[in-house]
């Protein structure tokens, strides 16, 4: 977790040593929390393999239910992030994790579309503020020229949840089916909710709200960190307010870019098991194991790109090229729907490209937002962008039901990624290349 940057010093200790110490202290826990969060968010994609039969839910119902999560997420995102900024990361992140774990477990008792929609909405409301809160939290510990790698490390939790969660979900659904009269998907929801609740309790004991309260940093280290963060923030405007974020046109451009990338991201994470099953793979465990391969590719790509972006202090092309690569992957999936090998190769391109976009993207708005404007701006961008989390699953599911094919929806997802890449290249390099 060594952060890449010039070896500036304040006092006698190299800065890289300090940031390595911080990274080892906070990043493993943050990654575990996001693995649990993302697993509870997208395990519906595996539950679908059995729930659709047991409850007679169509692809449209699943797409709508998957997307409704993001309506709750959207409505509560800004208030939740402002609450985190005011109350503190430790208490608020713990609250988020415990409530979403309890709600996720409740999916085991779903019987109707109405109950499914209601719990998905509540899950989104419970989780609102977690992801943008962590992005904001990382700005308290790392300057911008070290942050892309740390965000990429944190967001490795998304593919890691796929690498470990996909085989786990498949195994639970096959192996636990019929125990105590429950279906495999019911056991999956309950068992995969437990880590979120336990990690919420760990956060209360382990996480610090800021460097000033970190008992594991010396006073010299705290001073050094404060000096470097102040120097990093010197190019930003004075600490802005939440109102400033709403009035900043750059924030709304970021919303457009992130919306386009999230469209592609959830095209992968919600539908990847179904894409693989459509090629003729029948076993849930086999689908889970194959689903892990694109996510493993994504872990490697996103961390290599994060290192490269920080080392070169270049953001735009490091973001645009993965988006275009993902667009190519989606088109290839549409061209080879019946070939497991070719579809899997195309899904590797799509996953590596689109999952690399998010950590690289967040180096853009955090380069020019500060103060209350940062808390609100990050939440605005994330909440508006994640409306694509509603649109993307619903679009794919509905078009599949209407046409019997994923070709049109995959092509539209590719087009969104191209639009996002072109919008990134319109950003002045001097604004974000730090």
């Amino acid at each position: 977790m060594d952060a890449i940057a010039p070896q500036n010093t304040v006092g006698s200790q190299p800065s890289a040593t300090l940031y390595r110490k911080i990274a080892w202290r906070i990043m493993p826990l943050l990654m575990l929390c996001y693995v649990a969060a993302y697993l509870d968010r997208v395990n519906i994609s595996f539950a679908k393999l059995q729930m659709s039969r047991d409850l007679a839910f169509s692809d449209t119902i699943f797409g709508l239910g998957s997307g409704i999560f993001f309506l709750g997420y959207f409505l509560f995102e800004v208030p939740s992030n402002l609450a985190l900024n005011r109350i503190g990361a430790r208490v608020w992140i713990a609250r988020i994790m415990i409530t979403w774990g309890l709600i996720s477990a409740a999916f085991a008792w779903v019987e109707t579309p109405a109950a499914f929609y209601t719990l998905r909405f509540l899950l989104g409301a419970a989780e609102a503020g977690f992801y943008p809160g962590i992005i904001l939290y990382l700005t308290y510990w790392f300057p911008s020229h070290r942050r892309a790698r740390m965000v990429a490390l944190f967001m490795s939790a998304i593919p890691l949840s796929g690498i470990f969660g996909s085989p786990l979900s498949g195994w639970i659904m096959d192996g636990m089916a019929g125990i105590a009269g429950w279906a495999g998907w019911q056991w999956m929801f309950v068992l995969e909710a437990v880590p979120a609740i336990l990690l919420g309790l760990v956060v209360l004991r382990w996480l610090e709200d800021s460097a000033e309260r970190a008992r594991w940093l010396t006073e010299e280290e705290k001073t050094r960190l404060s000096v470097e963060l102040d120097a990093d923030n010197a190019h930003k405007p004075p600490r802005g307010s939440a109102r400033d974020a709403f009035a900043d046109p750059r924030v709304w451009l970021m919303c457009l870019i992130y919306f386009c990338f999230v469209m592609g991201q959830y095209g992968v994470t919600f539908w990847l098991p179904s894409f693989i099953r459509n090629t003729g793979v029948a076993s849930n465990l086999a689908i889970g194991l194959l689903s892990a391969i694109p996510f493993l590719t994504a872990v490697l790509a996103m961390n290599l790109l994060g290192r490269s972006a920080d080392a070169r202090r270049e953001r735009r092309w490091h973001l645009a090229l993965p988006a275009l690569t993902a667009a190519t992957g989606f088109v290839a999936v549409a061209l080879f729907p019946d070939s497991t090998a070719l579809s899997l190769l195309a899904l590797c391109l799509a996953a590596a490209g689109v999952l690399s976009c998010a950590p690289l993207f967040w180096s853009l708005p955090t380069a020019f937002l500060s103060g209350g404007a940062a808390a609100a701006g990050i939440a605005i961008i994330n909440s508006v962008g994640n409306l694509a989390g509603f649109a993307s699953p619903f679009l794919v599911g509905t078009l599949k039901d209407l046409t019997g094919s994923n070709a049109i929806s995959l092509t539209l997802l590719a087009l969104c990624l191209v639009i996002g890449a072109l919008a990134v290249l319109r950003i002045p390099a001097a604004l974000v290349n730090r």
Side-chain angles (χ1 to χ4, degrees), residues 71-83:
L71 295 183
Y73 198 81
F74 172 78
L75 292 173
F76 290 92
E77 183 86 327
V78 174
S80 182
N81 214 38
L82 292 175

Side-chain angles (χ1 to χ4, degrees), residues 30-369:
L30 295 181
M31 290 175 66
L32 282 174
C33 289
Y34 202 34
V35 166
Y38 215 81
L39 185 61
D40 287 343
R41 182 189 296 187
V42 303
N43 58 9
I44 193 66
S45 65
F46 264 89
K48 174 184 181 295
L49 301 177
Q50 290 182 347
M51 287 178 75
S52 57
R53 179 193 65 233
D54 294 350
L55 303 180
F57 284 2
S58 67
D59 282 347
T60 300
I61 290 174
F62 264 97
L64 179 58
S66 298
I68 281 176
F69 169 95
F70 294 97
L71 295 183
Y73 198 81
F74 172 78
L75 292 173
F76 290 92
E77 183 86 327
V78 174
S80 182
N81 214 38
L82 292 175
L84 182 145
N85 192 45
R86 183 165 52 251
I87 295 172
R90 183 178 64 88
V91 171
W92 198 248
I93 291 172
R95 191 283 305 164
I96 289 173
M97 297 189 64
I98 293 169
T99 53
W100 95 51
L102 294 172
I103 294 169
S104 184
F107 277 85
W109 288 272
V110 163
E111 295 182 350
T112 66
F116 180 54
Y117 297 152
T118 299
L119 284 177
R120 287 295 293 177
F121 179 86
L122 291 176
L123 188 66
E127 192 182 327
F130 175 77
Y131 176 75
I134 297 299
I135 299 300
L136 177 65
Y137 184 65
L138 292 177
T139 68
Y140 302 162
W141 300 91
F142 299 100
S144 58
H145 61 270
R146 298 176 186 268
R147 204 175 297 141
R149 184 176 177 185
M150 291 300 105
V151 175
L153 192 62
F154 168 65
M155 293 200 65
S156 296
I158 296 179
L160 284 174
S161 71
I163 292 169
F164 297 106
S166 295
L168 175 64
S169 297
W171 177 82
I172 291 173
M173 287 173 60
D174 284 344
M176 299 291 289
I179 295 179
W182 270 17
W185 61 268
Q186 292 176 298
W187 280 112
M188 184 194 68
F189 279 123
V190 171
L191 294 177
E192 292 185 354
V194 172
I197 298 170
L198 296 179
L199 283 168
L201 298 176
V202 173
V203 165
L204 279 174
R205 186 162 183 84
W206 186 259
L207 208 62
E208 302 285 356
D209 288 330
S210 64
E212 290 77 11
R213 300 185 181 183
R215 289 168 291 181
W216 42 274
L217 289 178
T218 66
E219 290 304 317
E220 180 187 357
E221 289 170 333
K222 292 177 183 179
T223 300
R224 181 178 302 108
L225 180 61
S226 177
V227 168
E228 295 201 10
L229 290 176
D230 287 345
D232 182 60
N233 290 326
H235 71 277
K236 298 180 182 179
R239 293 177 64 84
S241 66
R243 181 177 299 178
D244 294 331
F246 280 97
D248 191 336
R250 297 172 301 182
V251 169
W252 297 104
L253 175 61
M254 297 295 159
C255 289
L256 169 65
I257 295 168
Y258 197 50
F259 182 93
C260 290
F261 293 162
V262 173
M263 284 289 290
Q265 177 179 321
Y266 286 108
V268 170
T269 54
F270 275 119
W271 293 99
L272 192 149
S274 295
F275 292 154
I276 293 175
R277 184 179 64 178
N278 291 342
T279 67
V281 181
S283 164
N284 290 323
L285 179 57
I287 293 172
L289 292 171
L290 291 174
S291 296
I293 296 173
F295 289 119
L296 178 60
T297 306
V299 169
L300 298 174
M302 65 199 305
N303 282 284
L304 288 173
L305 286 167
R307 287 171 179 263
S308 176
D310 275 352
R312 292 168 175 78
R313 302 201 185 191
E314 197 288 322
R315 309 297 174 185
R316 299 186 312 154
W317 285 104
H318 277 82
L319 185 53
L321 291 178
L324 295 174
T325 299
T328 303
F330 278 122
V331 171
V333 173
L335 292 175
F336 306 108
D338 300 321
S339 170
T340 300
L342 292 176
S343 289
L344 194 61
L345 179 60
L347 287 168
C348 286
L349 282 177
V354 79
L355 293 179
S356 295
C357 287
L360 294 165
F361 167 81
W362 285 108
S363 62
L364 306 184
T366 56
F368 62 84
L369 292 171

